[in-house]
C-alpha cells in the first residue's frame, strides 16, 4: 500500500502557512502600533485642553475621538497648547 501525501500535510504547504502566519503577525503588530499612536494623540489633545481648564464640548470631543489622521491629531495637539477655546483646534 502506498501512502498518500495530502497537500496540506506536505512540507511546502507547512512552509507557506508559516510564512503567512508570520506576515499576518507583522501586519497586525504594525496596525496595532499605529492605532496606539492615534489613540495616544487623541487623548493627549483632549488632556491638554482639560489641563488648561478649557471646556471641551461634545462636538469637539467627538471630532477628535473619531479622527484617524495622525498628522492632523498632532496639529490639533500643538494648537491645544495655545488655544483659548476648544474650537481653536480647528482654525488655522
Amino acid at each position: 500500500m502506498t501512502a498518500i501525501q495530502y497537500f496540506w500535510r506536505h512540507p511546502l504547504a507547512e512552509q507557506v502557512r508559516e510564512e503567512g502566519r508570520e506576515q499576518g503577525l507583522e501586519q497586525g503588530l504594525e496596525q496595532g502600533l499605529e492605532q496606539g499612536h492615534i489613540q495616544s494623540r487623541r487623548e493627549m489633545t483632549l488632556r491638554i485642553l482639560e489641563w488648561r481648564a478649557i471646556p471641551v464640548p461634545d462636538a469637539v470631543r467627538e471630532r477628535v475621538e473619531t479622527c484617524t489622521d495622525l498628522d492632523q491629531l498632532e496639529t490639533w495637539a500643538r494648537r491645544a497648547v495655545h488655544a483659548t477655546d476648544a474650537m481653536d483646534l480647528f482654525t488655522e
Side-chain angles (χ1 to χ4, degrees):
M1 210 186 248
T2 60
I4 299 174
Q5 276 280 346
Y6 292 102
F7 178 72
W8 58 85
R9 292 185 183 163
H10 191 276
L12 179 60
E14 285 293 326
Q15 180 183 353
V16 168
R17 279 195 295 274
E18 182 60 28
E19 288 172 2
R21 280 188 213 102
E22 289 174 7
Q23 184 180 19
L25 183 61
E26 287 174 14
Q27 288 174 348
L29 182 59
E30 288 173 11
Q31 289 174 348
L33 287 172
E34 182 178 347
Q35 288 300 317
H37 288 304
I38 289 170
Q39 185 60 33
S40 174
R41 287 298 182 274
R42 289 173 180 155
E43 292 170 1
M44 181 176 63
T45 301
L46 295 173
R47 258 194 219 122
I48 291 169
L49 292 172
E50 291 168 0
W51 288 337
R52 297 188 62 230
I54 296 173
V56 181
D58 290 341
V60 171
R61 183 175 303 280
E62 182 178 345
R63 187 167 172 187
V64 171
E65 289 178 347
T66 59
C67 182
T68 58
D69 182 347
L70 192 56
D71 292 332
Q72 183 64 65
L73 289 164
E74 182 69 29
T75 299
W76 290 345
R78 280 194 307 268
R79 289 179 186 165
V81 172
H82 303 288
T84 57
D85 183 84
M87 290 302 287
D88 290 347
L89 297 181
F90 312 126
T91 57
E92 294 185 32

